[in-house]
Amino acid sequence: MKVEIYKCEQQAYQYFTERNYEQAANLYEQAIASEPNVISHYWYLGLILLLQEKEIEAQMTWMQPLADVEEENIQRYTQELTQVLQLEAERREKLEEFSLAWAIRQHIREINNYDINNLLNIVQLSFKIDNFEEIQLDKLGIIELLNYQDVVDLNSELLLQVLQQVIETLPLNQPSIDFIKSCLPYFTPEFNDIFFAAVMKIGQTFAQPATAACLLELYLAQAPNNQEILLEILRHLSLFYQNAKNFSQGIEKAKLCLSLSTEIADKIFAVHLILRALMAAGGCWQEICLTNQQLEALRQEFITAQPLLLDEIKTLLLLTPSFAKPHIEDSPSDFRKIHNSLAAICQNNLQSIYHQSFERYLQRNINHWQKATYKKKLKIGYLSYALRQHSVGWLARWLFQHHNRDNFEIYTYLINYKPGDGIAQKWYVDKADKAHKLGIKALEIAETISDDEIDILVELDSITLDVSCEVMSLKPAPIQVTWLGWDASGIPAIDYFIADPYVLPDSAQDYYTEKILRLPQTYIAVDGFEVGIPTLRRQDLDIPSDAVIYLSSQRVYKRHPQTTKWQMKIIKEVPNSYFLIKGDAEEESIKQFFYKIAEEEGVECSRLRFLPQDPSEAIHRANLTIADVVLDTYPYNGATTTLETLWMGIPLVTRVGQQFAARNSYTMMMNVGVTEGIAWTDEEYVEWGVRLGKDEALRQGVILKLRASRQTAPLWNGKQFTREMEKAYEQMWQRYVEGK
C-alpha cells in the first residue's frame, strides 16, 4: 500500500512539473484521502491550486491540517510549507517565470513577513516584472527589519544586488532613500564601491545632483574613518550641491574639505570648489578675488615644491582649477605659464602611474608611424563628454554632417554617455562610422582609442573634464588635437590647437605648448540653429513699445563687475532703455550684484529685468529677438550665445582682449562681416553700446548685414569649414609622415 502511495506521489509531482495541474491535483487529493495525516500532501495540493489562480482554495487547503495540530507543532509545519513554496519559487526563477515566482513569494510573505531574504527577493523580482513602483517599499516591512540591525541569516550578496537596482531606478522617491539608508550599516568595502559608483552615475550621468547629494549625506554618516575617503565624499558633495544650485551648502562642504586637507593638491582643489561655488552663485566679487589669489598662491607653491609623489586622484585635482582665472582677468601669458607647468606635471605623473599602458601606446604609435603612408583614408577620432545636448554638441554636429567619408573614417568616443540624449544619438552616434558609448574610466577609454588605431584624435573638452585630460596625457593616438573646447589644455602630449586668424593674437605661440594651427577664416562654423516660438513680450515685462532693450544672456561665471559697470554706463546714456539679464545664478545674489553697480552708476534699478532660463534652446533663441542690442561679457566672451545672437540678426557689442576666451565674439563678428560693435578698449565698448542704442539707422544697417550674411559668411558655412578642417588634418598627417 505504501509503495503505491509513493508511486502516486511521484506521478503527482511529475504531473505538477509538467504543468498538468488537474491530474496532479487529483492524485494529491487521492493521497490525502489515503493518508490524511501526511501534511506535505496539503502543501503541494495548495501550491497547485495557487498556480491555478485559486488563491482562496489554496489558503483553505493549507489551513485544513493546521486546525487540529497542537500549538507547539504549528511553527514546524509552517516552516515546512514555507520551504515547499521557497523551493518552487526558486525553480520558477530558474525557468525565468518571474511573475509566478513573485506571486509565490508574496504568499511566503503572508506566512512569514519577517523573512528578510524573501522580501529582498520580492523586490528583486519586481524589477524583472516591471512593477517596482507598485510594491511600496515603505509598506513591505523590509526597511523596519533592516533598521533592527540584528537580522538573522541575511543574504549580503542579495542585499547588494537589490540595493544597486534601487539606487539606479530614478527618480528616487522617499521610500527608496529610506531603504538605501537602512542598508548603510551593512556596508562592506564591496558595498562602498558599488554605492559610490551608483551615486556618481545619478549625479553625473543622469544629472540629478540633488538626489546624489542626499545619498552622499547619508553615506557620510556611515563612511569609514579614513581621511582620503572623507575628502573624496566632501569634494563630490560640494560639486553636487553646486550643480543643484544649493551654493551655500556647496561652499560649506568645500570649506570643510579645505579645513581637513593637509596635502597641497587637496588644498588646491578645495579652494577651487569654494571659488567655483562663489562664481556660480554670482555677486560675491570681493570674496571671489581673494579666493582666486589664494588659489594662485597654492598653485605656485605646488610647482615650486616639485617633485611630489601624487596618486591618480590627486593628480587629476590639479588641472580643472585653472578654469576660473580667465573669467577674472585677461592675462594669457601669465596664466599659461603656471597652467602649462601644472599640465606637464600632471602628464608626467599619469604616464608614470600607468607606465605599462603608456609604453604600450607609445610602441603602437611608433609602429603606426613606421607604416604610415600619405595616401590613405584617415581615421579621425572625436573625444568628449559634451557631444550631446550641450554647447559643444550643438556646434560640432556640422562637422559630422559634412565630413567626406571617402577620405575620412569618423569615430566618436562619448565620455559618460547619457542614454536618451537626442543630439548625441542623432549626430554623434548615428553619423559616426563607429561610436563608443563610454563611462568615465580613462584607461578603458584610452585602450579603446588605441585598439581602434586612430590616426588623429581630436578632444573637445580642454580642461573642463579631468578624464579627457587623463586620456590625452596617455597619448593613445599618434596625433592629438584640441578643438572647440574652452581653450588649449597645455598637456604636452597634445600636438595641435585649432584656431583662426582672429581668436588668438599673433604672439600667442610664445606661450602655447601646442602648435597653433590657424584655419584660414574661422575655427568654428555652423549651418544654423533650430528656432522656436518666442514667449517673451515687452508688455509682459512692463517695457514700453518704443523703448531700447539691451540684453545679456550669459552664465553667471562671466559677470565681471567692470564689464557690468560699462553696461550700466550705456543704460544711463541711452534714454528710455532697459537691460534684460538672463543666466543661471542664485537669484537674490545676482540681483544685489547688479543693483549695487546700477546705483553706483546712477541707473534706476527699475530699468533692470531678470529673466528665468528658457525651457529649451530653441525657445531661448527665439526670445533673443526681444533685444535691440546684446551686450557681451569680458574678459570671458560668449561663444554659443554669440553665434545665436548673430544668427538671429541682433547687433552685438563685444570687448576684444588677448586670451582665447576674450576673442570668441571678435572672430565670429569678423566672419559675418560686421565690425560695428567691436571694441578694443573699455571706452569703445561703452561708445558702441550707446551708438547702437541711440542710432536706429545704425542698428538697422547691422541687422541687414547679419541677415545677408546667412547666405555668404564663412561663419554660416559648415560644409566649407569642414573642408578646411579636413585640409588641416591632411596637413598634420603629411607632417607626420614626412617626419620619418
Side-chain angles (χ1 to χ4, degrees):
M1 182 69 177
K2 287 186 177 180
V3 173
E4 290 181 4
I5 293 173
Y6 176 71
K7 288 182 178 179
C8 180
E9 288 178 4
Q10 280 191 317
Q11 184 64 55
Y13 190 74
Q14 184 177 342
Y15 281 140
F16 171 70
T17 56
E18 293 172 352
R19 305 174 193 268
N20 191 340
Y21 297 137
E22 291 292 341
Q23 291 286 359
N26 288 335
L27 290 178
Y28 275 118
E29 286 171 355
Q30 292 175 30
I32 289 172
S34 300
E35 292 184 319
N37 295 325
V38 178
I39 304 296
S40 61
H41 299 331
Y42 296 91
W43 302 158
Y44 283 104
L45 178 59
L47 177 56
I48 291 168
L49 292 168
L50 176 64
L51 295 173
Q52 291 177 299
E53 299 183 357
K54 300 177 181 178
E55 294 186 21
I56 296 176
E57 291 91 332
Q59 291 172 346
M60 291 175 63
T61 301
W62 289 329
M63 292 298 297
Q64 186 177 341
L66 297 179
D68 299 323
V69 171
E70 295 179 359
E71 188 172 343
E72 58 267 22
N73 291 326
I74 289 179
Q75 184 175 359
R76 177 168 62 86
Y77 289 150
T78 302
Q79 288 174 346
E80 288 178 6
L81 172 58
T82 301
Q83 187 175 13
V84 169
L85 296 176
Q86 173 78 23
L87 290 171
E88 182 60 17
E90 292 172 359
R91 190 174 76 88
R92 297 292 179 170
E93 287 162 17
K94 289 178 182 177
L95 294 171
E96 297 188 358
E97 296 176 356
F98 301 123
S99 294
L100 279 177
W102 186 83
I104 293 168
R105 288 195 176 279
Q106 287 288 6
H107 282 277
I108 296 175
R109 176 191 168 204
E110 290 181 11
I111 296 167
N112 179 10
N113 62 352
Y114 296 104
D115 186 341
I116 185 70
N117 294 325
N118 182 61
L119 296 176
L120 288 170
N121 271 298
I122 288 173
V123 178
Q124 190 175 55
L125 286 166
S126 73
F127 288 106
K128 293 178 178 177
I129 63 175
D130 199 26
N131 75 337
F132 172 69
E133 294 181 0
E134 300 172 16
I135 65 171
Q136 296 180 308
L137 275 174
D138 52 337
K139 296 182 180 178
L140 195 60
I142 195 169
I143 296 171
E144 290 80 357
L145 287 174
L146 288 170
N147 284 337
Y148 285 135
Q149 298 186 22
D150 57 354
V151 180
V152 178
D153 299 327
L154 175 65
N155 185 332
S156 297
E157 184 178 349
L158 177 61
L159 179 63
L160 182 61
Q161 293 170 359
V162 172
L163 175 63
Q164 189 168 7
Q165 288 174 304
V166 170
I167 289 175
E168 294 182 358
T169 302
L170 301 176
L172 290 175
N173 56 23
Q174 190 57 48
S176 292
I177 293 173
D178 291 340
F179 170 75
I180 294 165
K181 184 178 181 180
S182 71
C183 292
L184 295 179
Y186 302 92
F187 271 22
T188 63
E190 187 180 18
F191 270 73
N192 291 335
D193 293 343
I194 288 178
F195 179 83
F196 206 74
V199 172
M200 295 304 104
K201 189 174 182 180
I202 291 168
Q204 297 171 355
T205 305
F206 292 107
Q208 294 193 17
T211 300
C214 176
L215 293 176
L216 274 187
E217 286 284 13
L218 297 177
Y219 182 53
L220 188 61
Q222 301 281 341
N225 187 20
N226 180 299
Q227 187 186 30
E228 292 303 318
I229 293 176
L230 179 59
L231 290 176
E232 182 79 356
I233 294 170
L234 289 172
R235 284 193 286 264
H236 285 292
L237 256 178
S238 178
L239 285 169
F240 287 145
Y241 276 128
Q242 291 181 45
N243 293 343
K245 295 185 172 47
N246 187 341
F247 300 114
S248 60
Q249 280 292 329
I251 292 170
E252 180 184 316
K253 298 302 179 186
K255 287 184 175 179
L256 178 57
C257 186
L258 177 61
S259 70
L260 296 173
S261 298
T262 55
E263 296 186 28
I264 191 165
D266 292 325
K267 291 180 180 179
I268 287 172
F269 198 76
V271 174
H272 158 66
L273 288 174
I274 297 170
L275 182 57
R276 183 183 188 272
L278 290 169
M279 293 177 71
C284 314
W285 198 255
Q286 185 174 0
E287 194 173 353
I288 286 171
C289 291
L290 291 173
T291 306
N292 183 58
Q293 291 172 11
Q294 183 183 7
L295 177 60
E296 291 303 296
L298 284 169
R299 281 152 54 91
Q300 188 61 62
E301 180 185 342
F302 175 82
I303 294 169
T304 304
Q306 292 305 305
L308 295 174
L309 291 176
L310 296 178
D311 61 18
E312 178 188 15
I313 292 176
K314 294 188 187 301
T315 298
L316 293 176
L317 299 178
L318 296 173
L319 279 178
T320 48
S322 295
F323 185 66
K325 189 173 182 180
H327 293 80
I328 298 169
E329 59 183 85
D330 179 21
S331 54
S333 59
D334 293 340
F335 165 76
R336 298 212 70 87
K337 181 180 179 181
I338 294 177
H339 175 73
N340 292 344
S341 296
L342 288 170
I345 292 167
C346 288
Q347 175 175 298
N348 291 338
N349 282 355
L350 291 168
Q351 290 181 356
S352 176
I353 292 167
Y354 292 114
H355 177 71
Q356 289 184 339
S357 296
F358 170 65
E359 288 295 327
R360 188 168 68 254
Y361 303 149
L362 181 61
Q363 187 58 53
R364 284 182 179 179
N365 290 340
I366 292 172
N367 295 339
H368 200 132
W369 176 63
Q370 291 172 340
K371 295 184 295 183
T373 58
Y374 179 61
K375 293 293 184 181
K376 65 163 286 185
K377 187 174 184 177
L378 291 178
K379 287 185 175 182
I380 311 296
Y382 292 95
L383 171 74
S384 180
Y385 79 103
L387 296 176
R388 53 183 173 83
Q389 196 160 324
H390 179 282
S391 290
V392 168
W394 286 111
L395 303 186
R397 55 193 174 142
W398 304 112
L399 190 59
F400 281 69
Q401 174 77 9
H402 297 300
H403 254 310
N404 182 344
R405 302 311 170 104
D406 293 333
N407 297 333
F408 298 90
E409 193 173 342
I410 307 305
Y411 291 67
T412 51
Y413 301 92
L414 303 163
I415 299 176
N416 197 23
Y417 176 75
K418 293 175 169 58
D421 188 295
I423 292 293
Q425 188 66 42
K426 180 178 179 181
W427 298 94
Y428 302 112
V429 175
D430 293 347
K431 283 188 169 54
D433 292 290
K434 190 172 184 180
H436 294 279
K437 303 172 184 178
L438 302 165
I440 56 174
K441 294 183 178 179
L443 203 57
E444 291 180 6
I445 298 168
E447 197 69 33
T448 303
I449 294 167
S450 181
D451 287 345
D452 284 340
E453 297 184 331
I454 293 299
D455 297 315
I456 300 174
L457 179 63
V458 184
E459 68 95 14
L460 299 90
D461 299 334
S462 305
I463 59 166
T464 60
L465 186 70
D466 52 11
V467 176
S468 298
C469 294
E470 187 172 10
V471 171
M472 300 303 282
S473 294
L474 296 175
K475 192 77 172 179
I479 301 174
Q480 300 196 149
V481 183
T482 291
W483 170 65
L484 188 60
W486 164 82
D487 197 343
S489 66
I491 294 170
I494 297 177
D495 305 288
Y496 295 97
F497 179 46
I498 301 291
D500 63 31
Y502 311 105
V503 78
L504 288 175
D506 294 339
S507 61
Q509 192 63 74
D510 295 341
Y511 45 83
Y512 276 85
T513 59
E514 301 88 346
K515 173 69 176 176
I516 299 173
L517 200 157
R518 297 181 190 261
L519 301 184
Q521 294 175 304
T522 175
Y523 83 95
I524 179 63
V526 299
D527 283 350
F529 293 99
E530 295 83 353
V531 179
I533 298 173
T535 59
L536 273 183
R537 296 173 181 82
R538 289 177 177 238
Q539 57 267 35
D540 297 334
L541 298 173
D542 193 25
I543 294 176
S545 59
D546 60 344
V548 175
I549 293 182
Y550 292 92
L551 169 69
S552 178
S553 177
Q554 296 287 4
R555 293 177 66 87
V556 69
Y557 282 172
K558 301 181 182 182
R559 301 293 186 190
H560 196 288
Q562 188 60 48
T563 313
T564 305
K565 287 183 180 180
W566 306 338
Q567 292 166 347
M568 293 304 155
K569 289 179 185 296
I570 293 168
I571 303 301
K572 184 178 181 180
E573 288 296 316
V574 179
N576 194 27
S577 65
Y578 292 78
F579 191 25
L580 309 186
I581 301 147
K582 182 164 68 173
D584 53 345
E586 199 283 313
E587 183 177 358
E588 194 56 36
S589 178
I590 199 66
K591 282 184 177 180
Q592 292 307 315
F593 170 76
F594 274 94
Y595 287 158
K596 182 176 184 295
I597 296 174
E599 290 172 0
E600 290 172 354
E601 296 299 321
V603 175
E604 295 177 359
C605 294
S606 60
R607 296 171 69 183
L608 309 184
R609 300 287 188 276
F610 296 88
L611 306 179
Q613 294 290 80
D614 292 308
S616 71
E617 289 88 350
I619 293 175
H620 158 72
R621 295 169 197 135
N623 283 338
L624 290 174
T625 57
I626 196 173
D628 296 298
V629 182
V630 168
L631 300 178
D632 198 10
T633 48
Y634 173 84
Y636 205 115
N637 292 169
T640 306
T641 51
T642 295
L643 280 167
E644 291 169 329
T645 296
L646 299 176
W647 178 253
M648 298 306 296
I650 304 166
L652 177 79
V653 178
T654 188
R655 166 72 160 89
V656 186
Q658 293 300 304
Q659 64 186 359
F660 180 88
R663 299 172 72 92
N664 261 309
S665 297
Y666 167 51
T667 186
M668 291 169 187
M669 290 179 71
M670 293 299 291
N671 276 288
V672 290
V674 172
T675 57
E676 297 90 340
I678 296 176
W680 292 92
T681 66
D682 304 352
E683 293 75 19
E684 281 187 19
Y685 183 96
V686 176
E687 289 169 7
W688 273 120
V690 172
R691 283 185 63 192
L692 284 165
K694 288 183 174 181
D695 190 338
E696 186 175 355
L698 176 63
R699 285 203 308 274
Q700 290 302 317
V702 173
I703 291 169
L704 290 174
K705 281 187 180 182
L706 289 173
R707 289 175 180 170
S709 76
R710 287 194 179 191
Q711 309 303 318
T712 59
L715 196 64
W716 311 131
N717 193 333
K719 188 172 185 178
Q720 178 183 327
F721 165 74
T722 302
R723 297 291 86 82
E724 297 297 342
M725 283 286 281
E726 290 173 342
K727 288 178 185 177
Y729 293 152
E730 289 169 343
Q731 181 182 345
M732 295 172 197
W733 185 252
Q734 183 175 8
R735 290 177 182 173
Y736 177 71
V737 173
E738 291 173 352
K740 293 196 292 187

